[in-house]
Amino acid sequence: MAERLLLLIDGEFVASKSAETIPVTNPATQEVLCEVPCASPDELNRAVASAKAAFKIWKEVPTPERARLMLRYQDLLKSHQDDIARVLSKETGKTFADAQGDVWRGIEVVEHACSVPTLMMGETVENVARRVDTYSLVQPLGVCAGITPFNFPAMIPLWMFPMAIACGNTFILKPSEQDPMTPNMLAELFLEAGAPKGVLQVVHGGKDQVNALLTHPDIKAISFVGSVPVAEHVYRTGTQNLKRVQAMAGAKNHMVVMPDADKQQVISNLVGASCGAAGQRCMAISVAVLVGEAASWLPDIKAAMAAVSPGAWDDEAAGYGPQITPQAKQRILNYIATGKKEGATCMLDGSDCTVDGFPDGNWVGPTLFADVTPQMTIYKEEIFGPVLVTTQVDDLDAAIELINANPFGNGTSLFTSSGGAARKFQHEIEVGQVGINLPIPVPLPFFSFTGWKQSFFGDQHAYGKQAVRFYTETKTITARWFDEESATGPNMTIKLK
């Protein structure tokens, strides 16, 4: 019988009393790695109550001490990076190198959290009126929660709880039920770094546990990453229950290829950005917009994609791993079939992909479509697999118009050797994250992850300065200290004197 994963409640890993469990499987073999329990209402309430009690103590801990916790934590994460990546690879199917990158991009956010004393500095103006000074303080909210997706089980939890906790909050983490072993490892190391009892809680489960967090009266803020329908539900439910919400959602990221770009660089970057991580990235390139003569590069793009093949996590020759579940694989196969039915040219079909030694894996091979129009399903919807659709336009203006008409605005990129074209593109494009000769422009943590349009619901984005604003309140103080002068008469106006 598979091991049951533990919950982290009130500073201790405990066995859930819930009878409801979800199997966690290896996507390459279907082997059951563990059973994840669905936390009971009582267990979830105990986790929130513990976090609420811990907040009263944690918020008073000096900011430099909170930063030192993050310094110890990032050191432990670095020393255990490969251990975390091995577990992550087995439960997600990612190649080991890709899993290492998943962990590292999370570590970078923890490094940024180490600078929280300067990030939480307020503002001061002296003498806004005679002997009157105004200054602001940045203070934590209380209990915050994060609901994370399957595709980055290390990076995205580390986008959330380190920044929230460094700001003085306490945190409830509800990881994806599809790969919860990695988040549990992150929590174990956080306790080892010296995190006080109750500062971080980990509860597992599915929809019921998510809805309980969204409606719990003691939770002040919710961070979420997932599909558009769920993100919209999280945003509406959370805000209706008077919570701050940042909900990162779906994408349809375009890469514009100008004919003056470096051809080999374009092809190399396009293949990696469309097929890497089996296409299971919200910042994956899923549409190539070929401008003018760049359309003639399609045979070369096909050849480069055909040279990539999926494989097991420890296969160094594998370009990427399997899809997370059989259902995810079937959804992608349905999109491929729909693309053919609607008239797109399937230049490379990965529907019948197999991997020697892993007959039960959720494999989908690289797939390339040409002659795709904006009316086709494979253009309009996020496929979330190693499927690249291509379309052709005459010039940069047409490419910008095409992208701006898309309802998503997570990421986009332009490959060109023209500074003028790059300047025009970055200025006119209506997308939150833009790459120039970079295919996946995920910002480093001292900036923020800034999806637009239907790719994001909320006001303040993840990590960077915006995360500090999301996880804190600003208190503004106006003060006057009287000297020995005689008192003046009453001020009957709103004006400071």
Side-chain angles (χ1 to χ4, degrees):
M1 186 174 178
E3 177 185 2
R4 289 190 72 183
L5 212 60
L6 300 176
L7 309 175
L8 175 58
I9 298 178
D10 202 28
E12 295 182 358
F13 282 96
V14 296
S16 173
K17 296 181 179 179
S18 172
E20 184 181 358
T21 62
I22 302 169
V24 178
T25 59
N26 182 326
T29 65
Q30 308 310 320
E31 170 197 4
V32 176
L33 301 172
C34 70
E35 297 280 345
V36 59
C38 296
S40 68
D42 177 67
E43 288 165 340
L44 193 143
N45 286 331
R46 284 198 293 115
V48 177
S50 172
K52 185 177 180 181
F55 173 67
K56 295 177 182 178
I57 302 169
W58 181 243
K59 70 176 182 177
E60 302 299 339
V61 171
T63 311
E65 288 188 28
R66 302 201 299 262
R68 291 182 195 113
L69 170 62
M70 296 303 158
L71 283 167
R72 294 191 298 271
Y73 187 43
Q74 59 88 27
D75 183 60
L76 282 171
L77 288 171
K78 289 173 182 175
S79 62
H80 290 82
Q81 181 183 0
D82 287 354
D83 298 329
I84 301 169
R86 288 187 190 94
V87 172
L88 193 157
S89 291
K90 290 179 182 179
E91 63 178 348
T92 64
K94 287 188 179 186
T95 64
F96 184 60
D98 196 21
Q100 286 176 308
D102 186 333
V103 180
W104 182 256
R105 292 308 300 263
I107 290 173
E108 290 176 328
V109 179
V110 182
E111 288 178 333
H112 186 57
C114 296
S115 60
V116 70
T118 55
L119 297 174
M120 291 188 68
M121 291 173 64
E123 300 171 317
T124 301
V125 176
E126 187 180 39
N127 283 336
V128 296
R130 290 188 181 276
R131 295 185 298 278
V132 175
D133 305 325
T134 299
Y135 48 97
S136 62
L137 305 177
V138 179
Q139 297 184 335
L141 296 175
V143 181
C144 302
I147 301 160
T148 59
F150 77 85
N151 57 333
F152 286 96
M155 181 183 77
I156 294 181
L158 292 174
W159 279 11
M160 296 179 183
F161 75 81
M163 289 299 296
I165 291 172
C167 289
N169 303 285
T170 54
F171 202 87
I172 313 287
L173 177 64
K174 207 301 286 183
S176 169
E177 63 275 19
Q178 294 174 319
D179 44 19
M181 297 162 63
T182 299
N184 264 34
M185 285 191 71
L186 301 180
E188 290 171 6
L189 291 173
F190 195 56
L191 295 186
E192 186 178 336
K197 174 181 175 180
V199 168
L200 175 66
Q201 322 274 336
V202 182
V203 296
H204 295 293
K207 293 180 181 178
D208 290 344
Q209 287 69 32
V210 168
N211 287 326
L213 293 173
L214 294 176
T215 56
H216 200 291
D218 290 332
I219 292 177
K220 305 300 182 183
I222 296 278
S223 301
F224 173 85
V225 179
S227 64
V228 171
V230 183
E232 189 169 4
H233 166 74
V234 167
Y235 178 73
R236 293 188 185 281
T237 305
T239 53
Q240 285 169 2
N241 283 272
L242 304 180
K243 304 181 194 314
R244 290 188 182 180
V245 179
Q246 52 178 207
M248 290 154 273
K252 197 70 178 180
N253 305 315
H254 299 67
M255 177 170 148
V256 178
V257 180
M258 300 296 289
D260 63 359
D262 184 296
K263 180 179 177 180
Q264 292 308 312
Q265 288 289 346
V266 165
I267 294 172
S268 176
N269 281 277
L270 188 53
V271 172
S274 59
C275 296
Q280 297 174 128
R281 296 170 176 157
C282 68
M283 287 291 285
I285 293 296
S286 54
V287 182
V289 183
L290 306 176
V291 179
E293 292 299 316
S296 66
W297 300 355
L298 268 170
D300 300 285
I301 295 171
K302 173 186 175 181
M305 291 184 70
V308 175
S309 58
W313 73 273
D314 56 354
D315 180 0
E316 295 183 359
Y320 58 89
Q323 304 304 308
I324 188 67
T325 62
Q327 293 79 12
K329 172 185 174 178
Q330 188 57 52
R331 187 193 68 248
I332 296 165
L333 297 185
N334 292 343
Y335 276 119
I336 294 172
T338 299
K340 296 174 186 176
K341 183 178 179 180
E342 292 183 353
T345 302
C346 189
M347 297 182 66
L348 184 66
D349 188 350
S351 299
D352 298 322
C353 177
T354 59
V355 174
D356 290 342
F358 297 90
D360 298 322
N362 308 320
W363 309 110
V364 177
T367 300
L368 176 65
F369 279 100
D371 306 314
V372 176
T373 68
Q375 293 73 38
M376 294 180 179
T377 302
I378 57 172
Y379 176 84
K380 292 189 292 185
E381 298 184 13
E382 185 176 27
I383 299 174
F384 223 59
V387 180
L388 177 65
V389 306
T390 65
T391 188
Q392 303 171 23
V393 297
D394 293 332
D395 53 33
L396 182 58
D397 284 324
I400 292 172
E401 182 179 359
L402 176 73
I403 297 170
N404 286 349
N406 194 277
F408 295 108
N410 218 33
T412 188
S413 64
L414 172 72
F415 274 69
T416 183
S417 61
S418 166
R423 175 65 175 76
K424 174 183 176 68
F425 184 78
Q426 70 184 37
H427 179 69
E428 295 183 10
I429 208 69
E430 296 169 5
V431 176
Q433 294 163 120
V434 180
I436 304 299
N437 296 321
L438 286 169
I440 302 180
V442 176
L444 287 172
F446 28 87
F447 289 90
S448 296
F449 188 89
T450 52
W452 284 15
K453 297 191 279 190
Q454 288 188 30
S455 292
F456 181 74
F457 297 88
D459 297 313
Q460 301 291 344
H461 293 83
Y463 64 78
K465 293 179 181 178
Q466 292 197 35
V468 174
R469 291 196 287 269
F470 180 75
Y471 289 123
T472 61
E473 288 278 21
T474 300
K475 179 182 292 182
T476 305
I477 300 161
T478 302
R480 167 180 282 154
W481 292 96
F482 297 104
D483 55 24
E484 296 179 358
E485 295 179 2
S486 59
T488 60
N491 180 6
M492 306 302 292
T493 75
I494 196 171
K495 182 179 178 182
L496 285 172
K497 297 182 179 179

